[in-house]
Amino acid sequence: MSDTTGTGSGRPGTHTRLGVLKTYKLFVGGKFPRSESGRVYEVTDTRGNWLANAPLASRKDARDAVVAARKAFGGWSGATAYNRGQILYRIAEMLEGRRDQFTAEVAAAEGLSRAKAAARVDAAIDRWVWYAGWSDKIAQVAGGANPVAGPYFNLSTPEPTGVVAVVAPQESSFLGLVSVLAPVIVTGNTAVAVASERAPLPALSLAEVLATSDLPGGVVNVLSGRTAEIAAPLAAHQDVNAVDLTGADEGLAKELETAAADNLKRVLRPADATSDWSADPGTRRMLAFLETKTVWHPMGV
């Protein structure tokens, strides 16, 4: 009698199962394309052991991501703050259900013990919740009624800047990414995020959560590959309104800031390389990508 259960020891009813390797892809416009160039690069753990092949995004992929982010901006910025908060909270809910997966990926990416990796994943989940709570409150911090000499109401209200290119932290593959991405989108901006070049896998897995969390396609787009190669066309792109250079080193940050000056983008310069991503983030990153609109209205008689 032949063994019909697959490759194995030859005994009926036994077989050796081959693992299903994960294929990581980019996240653009709510879909998961491979790089248009077809290129990939090897991702290893801190000991040099192979983990996976990640897509090597091209300049064309960066331009496609900007198009997707611009297309999504109108609907996302027009959504109520309460609705945006609900969606960010939903992201946290889904991450909680996949906590073990992200713990394993962060441990491998950053060379941490399982306990330390789990603590960073928990902090990242909590950060989504924290920013979700700010969604309908930041307007009170950034806006208000202004005193004027005359029979007018003078009101200042914050509005999202637009499409923001985010260079994610290199050393904090998941918590750092969430800490720079969540404040961009909670205020109504859309984002093109360049994942950590050395450790992109947690970011690419986060995209899978975002795709099934009620977040509209194109609000967040995730690219992996060579940071300088992807960030350069984003900084120079005329339809990108702001750039967060947190994950760029000093030399690259200077080049990107120069490129961004062509159309007067808002630029958030790199924080100290030893930033403690577990610390209270405050409101600085949300305020960095908001514009203030002031309206004058005559008082009724």
Side-chain angles (χ1 to χ4, degrees):
M1 180 177 178
S2 63
D3 177 10
T4 61
T5 60
T7 303
S9 63
R11 297 193 303 273
T14 65
H15 70 281
T16 301
R17 182 177 181 275
L18 296 177
V20 180
L21 296 178
K22 183 172 181 177
T23 301
Y24 290 89
K25 297 181 181 180
L26 305 176
F27 185 52
V28 177
K31 299 179 181 180
F32 294 92
R34 291 179 169 84
S35 172
E36 61 85 25
S37 67
R39 300 178 303 167
V40 297
Y41 72 106
E42 290 189 355
V43 178
T44 61
D45 63 17
T46 54
R47 297 181 179 180
N49 299 311
W50 182 86
L51 294 174
N53 288 334
L56 194 61
S58 67
R59 290 172 175 263
K60 175 64 164 55
D61 293 317
R63 293 194 296 269
D64 289 345
V66 173
V67 170
R70 176 57 62 191
K71 184 177 180 181
F73 177 70
W76 183 243
S77 61
T80 65
Y82 179 73
N83 180 237
R84 290 197 297 267
Q86 286 182 309
I87 292 174
L88 263 67
Y89 188 84
R90 174 64 175 158
I91 293 170
E93 287 181 332
M94 298 186 69
L95 285 172
E96 187 75 27
R98 296 175 64 169
R99 181 175 177 271
D100 288 345
Q101 174 199 342
F102 280 93
T103 296
E105 288 193 343
V106 170
E110 301 179 23
L112 301 174
S113 67
R114 182 171 180 82
K116 289 184 178 179
R120 294 197 181 183
V121 171
D122 289 345
I125 296 171
D126 293 346
R127 187 129 304 168
W128 282 111
V129 176
W130 192 86
Y131 278 114
W134 271 103
S135 63
D136 57 358
K137 301 173 182 67
I138 192 65
Q140 283 72 49
V141 174
N146 306 311
V148 294
Y152 302 98
F153 292 112
N154 183 263
L155 304 174
S156 293
T157 57
E159 293 188 340
T161 296
V163 176
V164 182
V166 178
V167 182
Q170 298 296 318
E171 77 287 353
S172 183
S173 61
F174 188 55
L175 176 57
L177 171 67
V178 170
S179 297
V180 297
L181 183 59
V184 168
I185 65 171
V186 72
T187 51
N189 297 290
T190 55
V192 178
V194 181
S196 166
E197 179 175 333
R198 185 188 64 78
L201 303 188
L204 297 176
S205 290
L206 174 63
E208 298 170 3
V209 173
L210 299 179
T212 52
S213 64
D214 301 327
L215 187 74
V219 172
V220 173
N221 305 273
V222 181
L223 305 176
S224 62
R226 307 306 179 202
T227 300
E229 182 179 347
I230 307 169
L234 291 175
H237 201 297
Q238 297 295 297
D239 206 23
V240 171
N241 304 107
V243 290
D244 181 347
L245 302 179
T246 296
D249 60 35
E250 184 177 352
L252 178 59
K254 185 175 181 180
E255 292 178 16
L256 297 179
E257 188 170 358
T258 300
D262 282 348
N263 69 332
L264 300 177
K265 293 178 178 66
R266 278 179 171 250
V267 176
L268 185 62
R269 294 173 177 82
D272 189 326
T274 58
S275 292
D276 180 7
W277 294 109
S278 64
D280 183 346
T283 59
R284 181 176 71 97
R285 290 186 175 276
M286 288 184 286
L287 297 175
F289 302 116
L290 287 174
E291 308 288 345
T292 301
K293 179 178 72 175
T294 301
V295 176
W296 293 74
H297 194 282
M299 293 182 178
V301 178

